[in-house]
């Protein structure tokens, strides 16, 4: 929404938190591929997939909170009428 | 549930379908990491995360169907009473 | 799927369990209407709506388990090939 | 969050929209009870439950948007630090 922002959107702490979780999810997805190659039981594969999805959900939660605290807050303060459609869109993406 | 199964659980076609989608999701997760490093807008990051989650959901769907057609069907035919708890557990994992 | 079934699909116990929860959800929905009429805070309304949705989710869970134990089991035992599409459809409805 | 608010939280239009959908959901829940009493097939019951859940989801969506446009906007403008926990809580309730 704003090209001229100079402050970083993500703090160092949030950035590292997200990247750590994303790397863990990547590792879990490589694990799922191996499990399928090795013909491991479906329920084990589903459990591992579910763990990766939880990790991504945590990342989405952090990014969504960041969006609320930064972009959405700025837009609400300057009374940008588009912010509510954008917010609903972000929440919809998060909840699917 | 069965250690002595000789037939593969996943057909070649399903295996390849899943692995292709998992590799795509892995690529999307690497993309999300770059986007966060580059301080890209939260909504773009959420969109990319949502795409990766959809890819994983598709994989879960294929594995769940495979589970129903193979493991659950075998267990139901031999009247294994544990199959229903297992099925509900699989469905619960899928739906979260 | 079967018109000639003579046994009841739902046991007395499951039937009563579902109906009790459905009546509770109905009461919660009347409560939500009053809350909106009284201009009560959005978060209170969302909390009440969320309680009603949880009640319905519990009912769906009982019906889904009943479906697995009865209809799906019968269909799998008589090797009805349509059962897997039907199962995936039921699971999809449950998970949304 | 604010007890002294004089403007109504819900416009007449949104109020009527929500109440119409809630009454429809109530009717669907009475329908589900009859279907279970009549021992109707599980898949039909799940379909009807799913319709009621969609109706409630639509109501939650309207209330959530109302929350964002009114309560959350006020709180963000007066820099209430509690608003972000409240927002995440509202979104979490919506997405479950």
């Amino acid at each position: 929404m704003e090209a001229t922002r100079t402050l970083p959107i993500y703090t160092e702490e949030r950035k590292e938190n997200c990247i750590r979780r994303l790397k863990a999810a990547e590792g879990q997805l490589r694990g799922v591929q191996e499990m399928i190659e090795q013909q491991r039981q479906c329920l084990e594969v589903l459990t591992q997939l579910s763990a990766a999805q939880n990790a991504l959900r945590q990342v989405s939660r952090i990014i969504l909170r960041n969006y609320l605290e930064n972009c959405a807050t700025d837009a609400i303060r300057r009374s940008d009428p588009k912010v509510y459609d954008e917010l609903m869109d972000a929440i919809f993406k998060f909840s699917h």
Side-chain angles (χ1 to χ4, degrees), chain A:
Chain A
M1 272 165 73
E2 55 250 272
T4 56
R5 189 179 192 106
T6 45
L7 276 177
I9 296 177
Y10 311 102
T11 61
E12 212 46 42
E13 192 196 335
R14 280 198 178 155
K15 205 173 78 177
E16 277 165 24
N17 190 345
C18 287
I19 286 177
R20 184 172 41 77
R21 288 171 195 272
L22 287 162
K23 284 198 190 306
E26 258 191 87
Q28 285 164 324
L29 296 192
R30 277 190 297 268
V32 172
Q33 291 169 62
E34 277 169 42
M35 289 166 87
I36 294 173
E37 292 284 6
Q38 296 163 0
Q39 300 283 345
R40 296 269 287 279
Q41 292 299 325
C42 306
L43 286 186
E44 291 178 59
V45 175
L46 280 176
T47 302
Q48 182 80 349
L49 274 165
S50 173
Q53 280 172 305
N54 280 342
L56 297 192
R57 208 172 158 80
Q58 287 306 313
V59 178
S60 293
R61 191 184 205 87
I62 297 167
I63 302 290
L64 182 62
R65 178 149 192 150
N66 204 68
Y67 169 70
L68 297 170
E69 289 180 7
N70 295 301
C71 318
T73 292
D74 289 351
I76 285 171
R77 288 209 177 120
R78 63 170 193 273
S79 300
D80 181 340
K82 293 192 309 287
V83 69
Y84 300 105
D85 284 338
E86 219 184 78
L87 263 165
M88 291 302 289
D89 183 45
I91 292 166
F92 187 81
K93 274 192 186 111
F94 171 73
S95 70
H96 271 75

